[in-house]
Amino acid sequence: MSGTRRKFFQDAAAFSAGIFGLGAQLNAQTQAPPHEHAAQPDHGSRHAPVDVATGPPVVTPDVPDLTCEMDGAVKVFKLTSEVVKRKIAPFKTIDAWGYNGSCPGPTIQIQQGDRVRVIFENRLPESTTVHWHGLEIPIEQDGVPWISQKPIPPSEKYTYEFTVHQEGTFFYHAHSAMQEMMGQIGLFIAHPEKAYKPRVDHDYAIVLQEWAVLPSNTVPNTAGMEFNWLTFNGVSAPAITPMIARLGSRVRLRIVNLGMDHHPIHLHGNQFVQTGTEGGRAPESSWYPMNTVLVGVAQARVIEFDAKYPGSWMVHCHLPHHMMNNMMDLLRDRQIMTADQTDAKALSQMQTLANTVGFQHVHHSPIADNAGSVKGFPQDAFMEMGMDEAVAKPETYGLPANWSAGMMGMMTLMRVLPAEQYDEIIRKKNSAGPEEKHEHPHNS
């Protein structure tokens, strides 16, 4: 029996009295003094160093990492549940519920065998808990209201502590259905004690989320079943930060889904193998080539591929409606009408929206002279929304003009770049301001 697994069972034995025998302890933990709201929340850092001995740290584009402090051999994280404003597109900001100022919450990265303490504070207007999805931990740390712990009231704290004997791609979330749909999720990555083989040079992660936001509203309708905004890591294309990889490297991509729909995630131009799930690493005998992986609700899928083909390759959900956003909501009261649409009207409507952000809308792709007389027209003709300058960042450097025109919803890019171009983007990232940096560069 490994030391870490032995420690896990020791933890469980220590709690063998059961949750009801620990009522006084739970009360003591949840009765912490109210947080001083005048103080600035600890939002962690996008560039916090992650000590990973067995491979590169995971990069979660557009989402920070959660920093930790050491208390002896224990890694101590401070996690705060709170209301956040999330700009999911240059012209669309929603009021969501997240953690530490981020939605999804910041990524927690630890090493298999670590002892972890999470000091959690609830700044929501209602009680909540944190569930550690997929982790094998004592019942008292499982985060299910009333079953494994008392709900954590507003303005109070609770301490979770456990030893992680597993490795793999896990996540944390509120164990309340509507709070989940308000955005309460974050990644929990347990790096292995021994390095995976073959070793990867780039390790990325994507959280899939869906939002039902009615026109002229900013608060998601968590009871709604018609999702009109689809995001990777809390951002909708083309605002999502592209992933970059050096030509000739090996890439790992971890995909987690806590929405209401399954998502077939497709990678253009490359074959990959599925190397893991929400249960950890899969045996190599189970790997087989594919280019689309179905990520079910509450599942994680881990894929790997050799980046041997240069290009900016699309990564997207292949459900057609998930490759777009709600056009009526985008245009608000200037919604596109399919019955009498004309070039002039479409350009005017799109430029009106573009003016709210401050960029020049590019004319859509060509259409036939008699298009208006063809049954079914228009379909995609007037949906293009090029906004290159509004979403420019180091990772978009070198993309062709108007690259963003057809990018909507659950779409991003995996840019496999020759060494010179890859290094140029890294230089631009290193010289960019804090708000322009989105990931930790790690050269292969």
Side-chain angles (χ1 to χ4, degrees), residues 291-308:
N291 53 59
T292 305
V293 61
L294 183 63
V295 187
V297 174
Q299 290 183 336
R301 292 292 179 263
V302 183
I303 64 173
E304 295 180 17
F305 70 98
D306 292 319
K308 54 188 177 181

Side-chain angles (χ1 to χ4, degrees), residues 259-417:
M260 286 282 289
D261 295 318
H262 304 319
H263 298 285
I265 303 299
H266 174 56
L267 170 63
H268 285 212
N270 294 267
Q271 305 296 313
F272 56 73
V273 292
Q274 180 178 300
T275 60
T277 69
E278 68 280 354
R281 188 75 167 181
E284 189 170 350
S285 59
S286 69
W287 302 357
Y288 55 89
M290 55 202 305
N291 53 59
T292 305
V293 61
L294 183 63
V295 187
V297 174
Q299 290 183 336
R301 292 292 179 263
V302 183
I303 64 173
E304 295 180 17
F305 70 98
D306 292 319
K308 54 188 177 181
Y309 304 118
S312 295
W313 303 107
M314 186 82 78
V315 180
H316 65 93
C317 177
H318 220 288
L319 290 175
H321 281 198
H322 292 186
M323 292 185 280
M324 64 180 72
N325 289 314
N326 189 307
M327 296 304 292
M328 288 188 296
D329 187 37
L330 294 183
L331 297 170
R332 295 185 282 277
D333 59 328
R334 294 173 296 279
Q335 58 188 287
I336 288 180
M337 304 300 292
T338 58
D340 60 351
Q341 190 61 64
T342 64
D343 257 3
K345 190 174 180 181
L347 287 171
S348 174
Q349 290 172 332
M350 287 298 198
Q351 187 55 50
T352 299
L353 177 60
N355 289 341
T356 67
V357 181
F359 64 91
Q360 182 66 37
H361 175 57
V362 178
H363 194 284
H364 54 79
S365 300
I367 61 175
D369 292 338
N370 67 336
S373 63
V374 177
K375 291 182 178 180
F377 176 84
Q379 294 298 324
D380 293 284
F382 303 129
M383 294 185 67
E384 293 180 354
M385 191 65 181
M387 58 183 85
D388 295 7
E389 63 269 35
V391 296
K393 57 194 71 173
E395 292 86 349
T396 65
Y397 173 75
L399 287 171
N402 209 34
W403 68 270
S404 60
M407 298 283 287
M408 291 178 284
M410 286 181 158
M411 291 183 172
T412 188
L413 295 174
M414 176 67 72
R415 303 190 65 194
V416 178
L417 304 171

Side-chain angles (χ1 to χ4, degrees), residues 38-359:
Q40 291 296 314
D42 176 10
H43 286 175
S45 168
R46 290 190 185 278
H47 301 282
V50 178
D51 183 17
V52 180
T54 54
V58 169
V59 173
T60 314
D62 303 304
V63 174
D65 285 319
L66 188 61
T67 57
C68 70
E69 298 177 353
M70 297 302 299
D71 180 9
V74 180
K75 289 185 175 178
V76 182
F77 296 89
K78 294 181 180 178
L79 187 67
T80 301
S81 181
E82 59 189 352
V83 178
V84 302
K85 286 190 177 294
R86 184 50 148 153
K87 182 183 284 189
I88 59 177
F91 42 80
K92 187 67 175 180
T93 298
I94 64 173
D95 292 289
W97 289 7
Y99 299 94
N100 293 58
S102 178
C103 179
T107 299
I108 296 175
Q109 302 195 51
I110 60 96
Q111 200 87 30
Q112 182 181 13
D114 280 348
R115 183 75 175 178
V116 175
R117 181 183 305 147
V118 180
I119 302 172
F120 173 75
E121 180 178 355
N122 179 18
R123 293 188 190 167
L124 297 176
E126 61 188 41
S127 297
T128 189
T129 58
V130 182
H131 171 59
W132 310 95
H133 191 105
L135 291 176
E136 298 171 356
I137 54 180
I139 183 63
E140 291 78 11
Q141 309 302 308
D142 194 48
V144 179
W146 300 112
I147 302 296
S148 60
Q149 70 171 95
K150 291 184 178 180
I152 306 166
S155 301
E156 297 194 6
K157 295 182 179 180
Y158 187 87
T159 299
Y160 296 93
E161 185 163 337
F162 45 83
T163 299
V164 181
H165 70 89
Q166 299 159 268
E167 53 74 26
T169 303
F170 308 104
F171 46 104
Y172 61 91
H173 62 84
H175 210 275
S176 302
M178 298 297 96
Q179 291 180 6
E180 292 177 17
M181 297 305 294
M182 277 294 287
Q184 296 261 275
I185 180 179
L187 291 172
F188 188 104
I189 307 297
H191 295 275
E193 285 182 321
K194 295 182 180 179
Y196 295 137
K197 293 182 180 179
R199 181 184 173 94
V200 300
D201 306 290
H202 307 278
D203 199 336
Y204 287 102
I206 293 176
V207 175
L208 313 179
Q209 289 173 289
E210 304 158 318
W211 311 91
V213 187
L214 297 174
S216 301
N217 271 266
T218 62
V219 179
N221 176 13
T222 58
M225 300 291 286
E226 296 294 327
F227 305 106
N228 55 355
W229 285 92
L230 294 303
T231 59
F232 282 174
N233 293 341
V235 188
S236 188
I240 302 167
T241 299
M243 297 171 283
I244 60 171
R246 185 192 291 268
L247 182 64
S249 65
R250 186 173 176 86
V251 182
R252 177 182 299 126
L253 177 57
R254 307 165 188 253
I255 311 165
V256 166
N257 178 14
L258 195 64
M260 286 282 289
D261 295 318
H262 304 319
H263 298 285
I265 303 299
H266 174 56
L267 170 63
H268 285 212
N270 294 267
Q271 305 296 313
F272 56 73
V273 292
Q274 180 178 300
T275 60
T277 69
E278 68 280 354
R281 188 75 167 181
E284 189 170 350
S285 59
S286 69
W287 302 357
Y288 55 89
M290 55 202 305
N291 53 59
T292 305
V293 61
L294 183 63
V295 187
V297 174
Q299 290 183 336
R301 292 292 179 263
V302 183
I303 64 173
E304 295 180 17
F305 70 98
D306 292 319
K308 54 188 177 181
Y309 304 118
S312 295
W313 303 107
M314 186 82 78
V315 180
H316 65 93
C317 177
H318 220 288
L319 290 175
H321 281 198
H322 292 186
M323 292 185 280
M324 64 180 72
N325 289 314
N326 189 307
M327 296 304 292
M328 288 188 296
D329 187 37
L330 294 183
L331 297 170
R332 295 185 282 277
D333 59 328
R334 294 173 296 279
Q335 58 188 287
I336 288 180
M337 304 300 292
T338 58
D340 60 351
Q341 190 61 64
T342 64
D343 257 3
K345 190 174 180 181
L347 287 171
S348 174
Q349 290 172 332
M350 287 298 198
Q351 187 55 50
T352 299
L353 177 60
N355 289 341
T356 67
V357 181
F359 64 91

